[in-house]
């Protein structure tokens, strides 16, 4: 699938047919029981020079988020081991940068990647725009994937962000895949975009040199103080259609039900998994926004009859002292 017309033809199928086709693809290329748990950590929070209209961390908006300096490697080690004990197999770190500066901060991020890899978890970072040589250094440190979202269609992008262009985004994605790092790239729904904008974003993903290994679908978490603070919630059925279309278009990718789960019913989340989503962020916090509790997620997985990670020995021991 490469053209907008092809994406529209799939997206607009009667829902039962769309869900059936997505489920077929899901079973053929992946294991439906394998829903990956990823933990997220903001390693450098707030004060970002970019003006992304959705973001709590932009210095252009008055949100309640306080600036915090780059975490230490020891802090990351502690959070990553805790996440691993709770069943995370991927650890994602975000920094509120336009692009990382070479020097001590970037070196520290490389060490953070090494620490996560040494705990035997996949490591993903999202640091803004990257040069070719930064991508190569991240690869050498063992980075599994780089998250860099296109967010929406090329046409709608400039309504949301003015401090960088769609082509800047595509250039970083090229640098990442040329360095041999998996690309994690998706977007946000619920920013006032049309159905066509959402599908055009998927078309862009389908045209990347290497298709994304991972496609995060975020529902806008409206942040007070940002231009999108009053955006209306995303229609549930439209979200499910988009996830099913992404599953069919990217059969081997992880399709990630990312931000916004705390405002979704259990039933909507179940529909999203039936449509082919196979990853969640878990733990009470995303980068700055709320996420469902680990207990609520464990209940949801039990109700679906999907595996829930057992506490590790260390955690069982802690629970009994
Ligand atoms: N500064 C880096 C960048 O923008 O590439 C990395 C951090 S940024 C917070 C990572 C992604 O989170 C954004 O590209 C966007 O897709 C998503 N995101 C940010 N704020 C969000 C919000 N309020 N609701 C939903 N998704 C959001
Ligand atoms: C992505 O697509 N979603 C995650 C991750 N990549 C870095 C971030 C979601 C952020 C939600 C808003 C917040 O926590 O501030
Ligand atoms: Fe900065 Fe990323 Fe937030 Fe945009 S999304 S303001 S680049 S932290």
């Amino acid at each position: 699938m490469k053209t907008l017309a092809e994406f529209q033809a799939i997206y607009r199928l009667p829902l039962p047919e769309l869900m059936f086709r997505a489920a077929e693809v899901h079973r053929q290329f992946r294991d439906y029981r394998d829903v990956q748990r990823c933990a997220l950590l903001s390693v450098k929070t707030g004060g970002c020079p970019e003006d992304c209209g959705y973001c709590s961390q932009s210095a252009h908006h008055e949100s309640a988020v306080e600036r915090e300096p780059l975490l230490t490697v020891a802090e990351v080690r502690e959070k990553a081991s805790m996440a691993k004990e709770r069943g995370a197999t991927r650890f994602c770190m975000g920094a509120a940068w336009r692009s990382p500066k070479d020097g001590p901060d970037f070196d520290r991020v490389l060490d953070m990647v090494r620490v996560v890899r040494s705990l035997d978890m996949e490591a993903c970072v999202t640091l803004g725009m990257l040069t070719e040589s930064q991508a190569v250094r991240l690869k050498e440190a063992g980075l599994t994937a780089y998250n860099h979202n296109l967010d929406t269609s090329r046409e709608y992008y400039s309504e949301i962000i003015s401090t960088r262009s769609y082509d800047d985004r595509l250039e970083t994605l090229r640098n990442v895949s040329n360095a041999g790092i998996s690309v994690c790239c998706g977007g946000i729904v619920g920013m006032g975009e049309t159905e066509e904008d959402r599908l055009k974003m998927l078309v862009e993903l389908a045209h990347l040199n290497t298709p994304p290994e991972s496609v995060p679908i975020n529902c806008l978490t409206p942040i007070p103080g940002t231009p999108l603070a009053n955006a209306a919630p995303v229609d549930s059925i439209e979200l499910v259609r988009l996830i099913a279309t992404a599953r069919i278009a990217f059969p081997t990718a992880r399709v990630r039900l990312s931000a916004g789960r705390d405002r979704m019913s259990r039933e909507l989340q179940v529909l999203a998994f039936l449509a082919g989503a196979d990853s969640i962020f878990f733990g009470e916090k995303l980068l700055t926004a709320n996420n469902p509790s680990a207990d609520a997620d464990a209940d949801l997985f039990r109700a679906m009859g999907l595996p829930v990670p057992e506490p590790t020995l260390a955690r069982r021991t802690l629970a009994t002292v």
Side-chain angles (χ1 to χ4, degrees), residues 79 221 236 277 287 319:
K79 301 273 188 200
T221 301
S236 326
L287 292 172

Side-chain angles (χ1 to χ4, degrees), residues 83-258:
K84 185 180 170 157
E85 278 177 18
R86 294 165 75 179
T89 56
R90 180 158 163 133
F91 195 73
C92 309
M93 295 172 278
W97 284 327
R98 172 174 165 79
S99 54
K101 248 199 307 286
D102 286 325
D105 282 1
F106 189 67
D107 294 346
R108 199 191 293 178
V109 172
L110 295 176
D111 282 338
M112 293 174 181
V113 170
R114 291 189 190 100
V115 157
V116 171
R117 297 296 287 144
S118 73
L119 292 167
D120 212 17
M121 277 189 284
E122 296 176 12
C124 179
V125 292
T126 176
L127 314 170
M129 293 184 269
L130 277 194
T131 63
E132 247 179 273
S133 74
Q134 288 172 331
V136 169
R137 293 178 71 202
L138 283 165
K139 171 72 185 171
E140 285 167 0
L143 188 70
T144 314
Y146 194 80
N147 169 242
H148 201 63
N149 291 338
L150 286 176
D151 282 340
T152 186
S153 68
R154 178 182 282 276
E155 291 80 359
Y156 198 61
Y157 197 77
S158 53
E159 302 281 324
I160 304 295
I161 299 151
S162 77
T163 49
R164 58 164 191 253
S165 72
Y166 215 64
D167 287 321
D168 291 333
R169 254 4 220 181
L170 290 169
E171 189 184 323
T172 292
L173 291 170
R174 253 193 315 276
N175 291 341
V176 167
S177 68
N178 286 345
I181 301 170
S182 293
V183 166
C184 170
C185 184
I188 310 183
V189 287
M191 303 189 295
E193 72 288 339
T194 61
E195 174 188 304
E196 193 168 304
D197 289 312
R198 293 174 187 170
L199 294 177
K200 280 183 169 169
M201 182 191 82
L202 296 185
V203 172
E204 293 281 351
L205 297 181
H207 282 89
L208 295 178
N209 281 350
T210 22
E213 165 251 6
S214 160
V215 181
I217 308 281
N218 296 281
C219 286
L220 177 77
T221 301
I223 312 277
T226 63
L228 292 170
N230 298 317
V234 177
D235 179 86
S236 326
I237 307 296
E238 291 178 9
L239 175 66
V240 170
R241 282 186 178 278
L242 192 70
I243 289 173
T245 306
R247 167 53 61 214
I248 294 167
F250 306 104
T252 59
R254 287 268 179 202
V255 176
R256 303 185 189 271
L257 184 59
S258 303

